[in-house]
Amino acid sequence: MSAPSFAGSRIPVRSDLAEAHERAWAAIAAPGTWLTGERRIAVAAEIRHAPACAHCARIKAALSPNAVTGAHEDLGTLGAAEVELIHRVVSDPGRLSEKWSQSILARGLSEGEYVEVVGLVATVMMLDTCLRALGLPERALPAPTAGEPTRYRPAGARKKAAWLPLVEPEDALEADGPLYPNPKAGYIYRGLSLVPQSLRDYWALANCHYMPGEYVYQFDKSIRAIRRPQVEIVAARVSAMHQCAY
Amino acid sequence: MLRESMQSEGKQVDVRGVTQGFDEDVGIPHADALIEFAEAVVLRDAARTQSARETLRSALGDAALVDAAAVVAAFHGFVRIADAIGIPYTTAARGNDAPELRQQAGINDFYRVRGER
C-alpha cells in the first residue's frame, strides 16, 4: 500500500477523514463488482491523466461539446468507451446528456461497468481534490489486489428516474447488502445503486467529507469546524462552477 | 441547502450569488475567503489555491481549513455522480425542488436544464 494520504501534513487532519481515505484507497485497489483491481487502478490512473487531455480542453471550450471531433489523449490501457466516459465525467460533467450516456453503452460498456467507473471517478476526484486543496502531494496509486469481480447486479434495479438503472429503496433486497440509511434517501444517494458495493464505498468516504445523512437536513447544526451556511456556500459555489443543476 | 441553512440562522441569502457572485455582506462569516478557496481549487490554480488556503487558515484556523477542503472535495464527487448517472435535478432537496429558486439562481441557464426544457 502507498504512503498514507495525509502523511507529512503540517495541518492536523481529523482521524475519521484520514481513516476514510485509507479505506477508500484499499477499496479502489480491490476487485470490484464488474472490474478487477488491476482495471480499477487503470481507471484511477486515467482519471488523473484526463485533466491534461487536449481534446478534453477543446470540448470544454466549445459551445457545443458534442460537435468537437478528435481523440482523447489517454494512457492506452483502457478501451475507447471507458476513456470517453472517464475524460468527459472528469473534465466537463455539467454538459453530459442521456444520449451521450447511451452512446457509451452502445460502444460496449455494460451498465454495471459504467456505474462502477463513475463511482471511481467521483471517489478518486474527491480523494485527490482534498489533498490538492490542502497543498499536499498526490498520493501514489496503490498496487491492485488480485481476485475476481463479484458480478452482482441487484434484481430490483430499474431504469426509471435516471439515465442508468437505480435500485429504489422499496426494491432493495437483502442480497444487495446495506444500501440506504433510510427509505427516503435522496436520489443523489441512489445514483450508484446499480453497483451496491460502489455505493457503499463512495458514501463511506463522502460522509466524512460532507456529513452523514442524518445531519443533512438538520440545518441548525454543524458537525464540522465551519458553520452550516459556510459549508453550504462552498458546496453551492463548487456545484455551480460545475454547472450541476442537482 | 444554502438558503435553508441561512434561514436556520434567521437570515436570507440572495441565491443569485451562487452563479453571479455574492454581495460583500452576504451574512456568512468569511464567505469571501471560503468562496475564493473553493474557486481556486475547482480551477486547479495552484498559486491562487495556496494564497486562498493561507487566508482561510489565518481567518478560521486549521480544523476549519481541513473541513472546507473536505467539502470542496466532496462536491467534486457529488456533481459527477448526479451528472453522469443523469439523476433528475427536480428531485433535489428531497423532491422539494423550487423552480423559482432555480430561475433566480441562474441554474435554469445550465446546459442540462436548457437541454431538457
Side-chain angles (χ1 to χ4, degrees):
Chain A
M1 185 54 70
S2 48
S5 292
F6 299 102
S9 173
R10 286 179 295 172
I11 302 167
V13 174
R14 53 186 159 85
S15 59
D16 68 311
L17 186 61
E19 288 159 12
H21 275 233
E22 295 314 301
R23 285 194 300 271
W25 279 116
I28 288 166
T33 301
W34 299 102
L35 277 60
T36 62
E38 187 177 9
R39 194 163 155 207
R40 286 165 63 86
I41 292 299
V43 168
E46 196 64 53
I47 292 163
R48 287 182 168 181
H49 181 70
C53 173
H55 183 54
C56 285
R58 285 193 292 274
I59 292 171
K60 182 81 175 167
L63 212 52
S64 303
N66 300 314
V68 180
T69 56
H72 291 291
E73 294 165 1
D74 66 286
L75 296 170
T77 53
L78 300 168
E82 231 167 344
V83 169
E84 166 73 3
L85 174 61
I86 292 164
H87 280 230
R88 288 292 303 277
V89 176
V90 168
S91 300
D92 200 14
R95 299 199 300 169
L96 306 177
S97 65
E98 182 167 17
K99 189 176 173 186
W100 171 85
S101 72
Q102 295 306 307
S103 77
I104 299 290
L105 300 174
R107 290 163 75 177
L109 211 62
S110 72
E111 291 173 332
E113 289 171 320
Y114 181 115
V115 172
E116 187 165 334
V117 168
V118 168
L120 287 168
V121 173
T123 301
V124 171
M125 292 211 67
M126 184 168 18
L127 291 162
D128 284 354
T129 301
C130 189
L131 265 60
R132 186 159 46 81
L134 291 170
L136 298 170
E138 196 170 71
R139 177 182 175 136
L141 293 177
T145 309
E148 286 300 307
T150 61
R151 298 184 179 86
Y152 177 81
R153 182 179 169 111
R158 307 266 185 278
K159 186 181 172 189
K160 200 163 71 178
W163 302 340
L164 276 293
L166 304 177
V167 180
E168 302 291 352
E170 63 272 22
D171 295 328
L173 304 174
E174 201 173 328
D176 299 338
L179 280 179
Y180 302 122
N182 64 67
K184 290 183 177 176
Y187 269 93
I188 188 65
Y189 214 106
R190 304 176 202 182
L192 299 175
S193 57
L194 182 64
V195 184
Q197 191 57 52
S198 291
L199 180 150
R200 286 188 283 274
D201 291 343
Y202 176 79
W203 283 98
L205 180 67
N207 287 343
C208 290
H209 279 77
Y210 181 49
M211 65 193 78
E214 64 265 33
Y215 296 104
V216 170
Y217 294 99
Q218 294 186 44
F219 293 105
D220 58 344
K221 186 177 285 186
S222 177
I223 60 166
R224 302 299 179 215
I226 49 179
R227 284 159 57 175
R228 188 62 192 272
Q230 293 176 313
V231 168
E232 296 304 334
I233 201 167
V234 166
R237 189 67 190 119
V238 173
S239 296
M241 289 180 78
H242 284 87
Q243 286 211 28
C244 183
Y246 187 81
Chain B
M1 295 298 214
L2 174 60
R3 184 181 61 164
E4 285 165 300
S5 67
M6 289 292 281
Q7 286 172 345
S8 76
E9 294 194 352
K11 298 174 184 171
Q12 299 295 321
V13 63
D14 183 349
V15 293
R16 286 177 301 182
V18 169
T19 52
Q20 298 172 27
F22 288 98
D23 290 339
E24 281 179 32
D25 187 19
V26 67
I28 299 173
H30 304 291
D32 286 352
L34 288 159
I35 291 169
E36 171 62 11
F37 180 63
E39 291 184 357
V41 175
V42 173
L43 296 172
R44 294 175 172 262
D45 185 327
R48 193 174 155 191
T49 300
Q50 183 181 346
S51 171
R53 186 167 54 241
E54 287 166 5
T55 302
L56 197 55
R57 191 180 181 192
S58 298
L60 287 166
D62 287 346
L65 171 62
V66 169
D67 284 345
V71 173
V72 173
F75 280 79
H76 278 69
F78 292 140
V79 299
R80 286 174 170 84
I81 290 177
D83 288 334
I85 303 295
I87 291 168
Y89 54 83
T90 50
T91 62
R94 281 194 295 198
N96 296 321
D97 170 64
E100 72 283 359
L101 191 66
R102 259 192 282 119
Q103 178 68 33
Q104 194 185 354
I107 293 169
N108 282 350
D109 293 328
F110 288 177
Y111 181 90
R112 183 164 168 207
V113 183
R114 278 190 283 121
E116 293 183 9
R117 277 202 299 239

